[in-house]
């Protein structure tokens, strides 16, 4: 059973650019969540996808967007990068059952984004 | 709105000593509470979770936490610290019983002295 994998592990972008981060869910998981963790702080919830639809969003502007694919992998896209977007981006996959119960909430190791 | 406060951004203990990491929550409804550990350059690993069953929750690596509604607290303890426990610890709350869409505290860095 593979875990949650994120790519790339590190990248550097220039202010104003766009970036795409990727997450491969753990086998059997149908839900993916994304978090932003600034240096020295706790993670902040960005949004969650279930069956290719966004079903929850935190306090992040629309330039943060996402996709979930039929194989349950996911992308996080950030447009018009700002210096404050520099952070560790974590994704977590889980299995949501028809009754809403969630199992196996598992985090990846993250992508470290630096905006210069 | 829900929130989590972790008292003490840094805690230092000697190897073999008691570990106590504090977490207080604010929630208008009964919450679901979690403790996660993060080692350098790694993701978050679940230590334990409270989902309205027993108030004393046992987790991995000898950690446990007690839910105290009257104090709105969910402090993490371990009787005897090991060097390998040195890491960042996060308390988190979720309003839904799914245990996702977590709100995290600011974290406590635990240092263990030999």
């Amino acid at each position: 059973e593979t875990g949650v994998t994120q790519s790339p592990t590190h990248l550097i972008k220039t202010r104003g650019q766009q970036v795409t981060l990727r997450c491969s869910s753990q086998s059997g998981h149908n839900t993916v969540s994304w978090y932003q963790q600034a240096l020295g702080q706790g993670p902040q919830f960005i949004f969650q996808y279930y069956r290719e639809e966004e079903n929850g969003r935190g306090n992040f502007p629309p330039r943060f967007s996402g996709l979930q694919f039929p194989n349950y992998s996911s992308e996080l896209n950030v447009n018009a990068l700002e210096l404050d977007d520099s952070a560790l981006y974590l994704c977590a996959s889980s299995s949501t059952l028809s009754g809403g119960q969630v199992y196996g909430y598992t985090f990846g190791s993250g992508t470290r984004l630096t905006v210069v | 709105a829900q929130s989590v406060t972790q008292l003490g951004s840094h805690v230092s203990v000697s190897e073999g000593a008691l570990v106590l990491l504090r977490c207080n929550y604010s929630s208008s409804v009964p919450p679901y509470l979690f403790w996660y550990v993060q080692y350098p350059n790694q993701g978050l690993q679940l230590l334990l979770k409270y989902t309205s069953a027993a108030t004393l929750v046992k987790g991995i690596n000898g950690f446990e936490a007690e839910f105290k509604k009257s104090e709105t607290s969910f402090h993490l303890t371990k009787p005897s610290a090991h060097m390998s426990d040195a890491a960042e610890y996060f308390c988190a709350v979720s309003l839904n019983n799914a245990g996702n869409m977590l709100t995290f505290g600011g974290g406590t860095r635990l240092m263990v002295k030999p």
Side-chain angles (χ1 to χ4, degrees):
Chain A
E1 180 180 271
T2 59
V4 178
T5 57
Q6 294 186 242
S7 62
T9 55
H10 297 81
L11 77 164
I12 300 174
K13 288 287 190 177
T14 303
R15 188 171 50 183
Q17 285 188 316
Q18 180 266 344
V19 70
T20 297
L21 311 182
R22 295 177 174 82
C23 174
S24 293
S25 300
Q26 184 165 311
S27 176
H29 286 183
N30 58 14
T31 304
V32 65
S33 308
W34 286 91
Y35 291 81
Q36 180 195 66
Q37 185 178 16
L39 196 62
Q41 297 182 25
Q44 285 191 293
F45 174 70
I46 303 175
F47 47 55
Q48 176 171 288
Y49 279 79
Y50 170 64
R51 293 186 173 178
E52 303 177 52
E53 300 257 345
E54 183 182 297
N55 72 341
R57 189 176 184 94
N59 189 27
F60 280 81
R63 60 189 185 85
F64 285 79
S65 63
L67 283 173
Q68 187 183 31
F69 300 100
N71 66 354
Y72 303 125
S73 65
S74 175
E75 288 182 354
L76 164 65
N77 298 289
V78 187
N79 293 323
L81 283 167
E82 301 176 359
L83 297 179
D84 285 348
D85 295 332
S86 296
L88 179 68
Y89 288 85
L90 297 165
C91 81
S93 75
S94 56
S95 179
T96 303
L97 305 185
S98 57
Q101 188 64 33
V102 171
Y103 288 96
Y105 206 64
T106 305
F107 282 86
S109 296
T111 294
R112 173 75 62 188
L113 172 65
T114 302
V115 182
V116 297
Chain B
Q2 56 186 352
S3 65
V4 174
T5 302
Q6 293 185 239
L7 300 176
S9 58
H10 293 78
V11 170
S12 181
V13 301
S14 297
E15 192 173 19
L18 171 72
V19 175
L20 171 60
L21 304 183
R22 300 178 186 275
C23 173
N24 288 88
Y25 68 90
S26 172
S27 173
S28 57
V29 298
Y32 293 85
L33 294 159
F34 306 80
W35 275 100
Y36 281 86
V37 61
Q38 186 176 38
Y39 297 99
N41 301 315
Q42 293 189 28
L44 299 166
Q45 180 182 10
L46 179 67
L47 281 175
L48 50 82
K49 61 181 178 181
Y50 167 76
T51 56
S52 75
T55 56
L56 181 63
V57 182
K58 294 187 182 298
I60 62 171
N61 301 340
F63 285 94
E64 64 181 35
E66 186 173 8
F67 173 70
K68 292 186 176 180
K69 184 178 179 180
S70 61
E71 299 176 8
T72 62
S73 68
F74 190 58
H75 301 331
L76 181 71
T77 60
K78 181 174 181 177
S80 177
H82 295 164
M83 296 297 292
S84 60
D85 294 327
E88 187 90 20
Y89 291 80
F90 294 96
C91 182
V93 63
S94 171
L95 284 185
N96 60 37
N97 63 2
N100 53 16
M101 304 190 206
L102 300 170
T103 297
F104 284 87
T108 297
R109 180 164 299 278
L110 175 65
M111 295 166 284
V112 182
K113 299 175 292 186

